[in-house]
Each structure stands twice: as structure tokens, then as C-alpha cells.
Amino acid sequence: MVSENQIFVIEDEPSVAEVVSLYLRRSGFSVSVFHDGKKALEALQDLMPALVILDLMLPGVDGWEITRWLRARGDVPIIMLTARREEMNRIAGLEMGADDYVVKPFSPQELVSRVRAVLRRTSSTVEEPIEKPLMIGDLQLDPQTRLVTLAGQEIGLTVKEFELLWFLMRYPRQVFTRDQLLEKLWGLSDYIDPGTVTVHIRRLREKIEKNSSEPEHLLTVWGVGYKFEP
Ligand code: CA
């Protein structure tokens, strides 16, 4: 059984475990805390969480052993916590199968951002196995070369402009709110002005629409958000 919103925090220092779980809960996750490795392994046999935050130095069964155990059973994302930079060789940790690591002391907000980023990364690799060029009307986007052409003419887009157009074109006619687009493309919706999306849409219209004040493709759905009309 896999739980989509559940995070396991495996950390023997109560103060660290407490602050981490507090911030994660505030961000909408369900959190289970384990203060030793053996109990964590027992729980993992019953329920596979969406992500594991794992302290390396634990009494009994340590973080390395838990990582090996998890990796033998699938690809649940792991973020490692480590007390000092020297305590852990980053390469070794990532080669062992951690998706990211955080050095103590760390900011809980930073950890929550990492959790979101790792979840986004790992879930998007499932969604997008092969990225083939998209052709809609005169417009062609190649995600491999990042080349965009309109009626055969190359047009220059910034990285974010490309990602936004690519995303909307992949889901034609589907309406996305500014918050959804921020979350998908910028990730940190808490820190970025939603107006950023509006600005990018406007610039894209200037580049791909015949008349940017009467767009035919990048449409505003009033009161909701934006969509791509093929
Ligand atoms: Ca520890």
C-alpha cells in the first residue's frame, strides 16, 4: 500500500523530528515520526509513504541500512538528514539512492521546499517518459533542442516561456489557474508573485500570436486562468 500524502520522518533527535513534522503538517502533509530505525522498518512493511526523510545516524538500524532496504523494494523518494557535511559523502549518499540531502542545522522551510521539489521531480518522471516535438498549427516546439518555430521561422523564448507554452500545449483546452501554473513551473508558489504568470503569458502572446491583444491560442478564461486553444 502506498500513501500519496504521507511522509515518514525517521529521526532520533526529538526536537528536530518535532520541528520538521510541524512544518510538513502545516504544508498539508500527513506525517509519521519514528525515533529509531527498527520501528520505522516495521511501519514501512505495512505502508509505503510518498517520501521518507531519513536521519543517517540512528540507534539500532541506521539510515544506510534503511536506504538499502527501501531501494530493494522500489523507488520511494528519500531525503537524508546529516549532522555535518563531513559525516556524509554526498556522492555516496546519492549513489546509495537518496534523492536529496540536507545538512543540519537546516531551515524547516528549506526542507519543505526540497520535499516539494523531490516529489514534483519523481512524479513528473512517471508522467513524461518521452518528450517528442509538439506540432499544433504553425507552431512547433522541440523539447530536446528547445527550438521553437512559427510558420518555419525560429522564435526565441526564455526557459520559462518555453516551459509555460510547452505545458499548456501538452494539455490543449485544459484550463489552469495561475496558482497551478506557478506550482507546476516555478514550484515555490509561496514565494513568487502570481503576476509572474500573467507577465509570461503576455510575452508569449507577443511572440506567437498574430495579434497579441486578440489572441487565438493563449486564451484567458476569465475568473479561472489560462488555456491553450489549438
Ligand atoms: Ca541522529
Side-chain angles (χ1 to χ4, degrees):
M1 184 182 163
V2 178
S3 176
E4 284 180 9
N5 200 36
Q6 182 81 29
I7 295 183
F8 278 13
V9 175
I10 310 173
E11 163 64 83
D12 61 316
E13 287 168 57
S15 58
V16 176
E18 196 179 319
V19 76
V20 166
S21 55
L22 176 72
Y23 273 79
L24 287 170
R25 284 192 184 113
R26 264 192 212 158
S27 307
F29 295 101
S30 305
V31 183
S32 302
V33 176
F34 303 91
H35 295 299
D36 77 78
K38 195 160 168 291
K39 290 222 174 70
L41 283 183
E42 283 167 13
L44 284 165
Q45 286 173 357
D46 295 333
L47 178 94
M48 199 53 87
L51 183 139
V52 175
I53 293 175
L54 181 61
D55 185 29
L56 267 185
M57 300 299 162
L58 291 165
V61 182
D62 69 13
W64 299 113
E65 209 166 315
I66 294 174
T67 304
R68 275 191 294 275
W69 189 94
L70 285 169
R71 280 294 161 265
R73 279 157 188 85
D75 52 6
V76 58
I78 302 170
I79 297 180
M80 281 184 176
L81 303 179
T82 175
R84 281 173 290 118
R85 202 166 280 278
E86 319 71 273
E87 194 174 77
M88 176 184 160
N89 180 325
R90 174 173 188 265
I91 305 295
L94 298 178
E95 275 178 1
M96 272 296 297
D99 294 87
D100 204 349
Y101 77 110
V102 173
V103 180
K104 294 176 193 173
F106 53 87
S107 108
Q109 288 102 324
E110 166 72 13
L111 181 62
V112 171
S113 305
R114 300 279 191 102
V115 165
R116 288 207 176 113
V118 167
L119 286 175
R120 208 163 41 241
R121 212 159 64 214
T122 50
S123 63
S124 67
T125 52
V126 178
E127 269 172 26
E128 309 160 32
I130 312 159
E131 294 193 330
K132 291 183 185 153
L134 269 178
M135 271 173 285
I136 297 181
D138 283 347
L139 199 57
Q140 183 170 350
L141 268 70
D142 186 338
Q144 306 302 329
T145 59
R146 299 251 157 181
L147 195 68
V148 183
T149 57
L150 180 65
Q153 297 287 310
E154 192 177 330
I155 49 175
L157 298 185
T158 65
V159 173
K160 283 296 174 205
E161 286 167 359
F162 183 95
E163 287 174 358
L164 179 59
L165 183 59
W166 171 256
F167 181 80
L168 290 171
M169 282 175 69
R170 277 180 68 216
Y171 303 98
R173 296 201 177 91
Q174 200 171 320
V175 183
F176 296 94
T177 66
R178 289 198 303 187
D179 284 344
Q180 284 171 329
L181 293 170
L182 270 184
E183 179 77 26
K184 293 274 182 203
L185 301 165
W186 279 267
L188 303 166
S189 54
D190 299 350
Y191 312 119
I192 296 170
D193 182 353
T196 308
V197 175
T198 316
V199 170
H200 279 75
I201 291 281
R202 196 182 66 225
R203 289 196 194 129
L204 276 173
R205 280 175 178 156
E206 284 162 5
K207 291 178 181 180
I208 71 158
E209 299 283 0
K210 285 194 194 84
N211 177 353
S212 65
S213 54
E214 286 176 35
E216 294 170 356
H217 299 300
L218 286 171
L219 303 187
T220 302
V221 181
W222 293 108
V224 189
Y226 299 103
K227 67 172 179 178
F228 184 88
E229 183 64 37

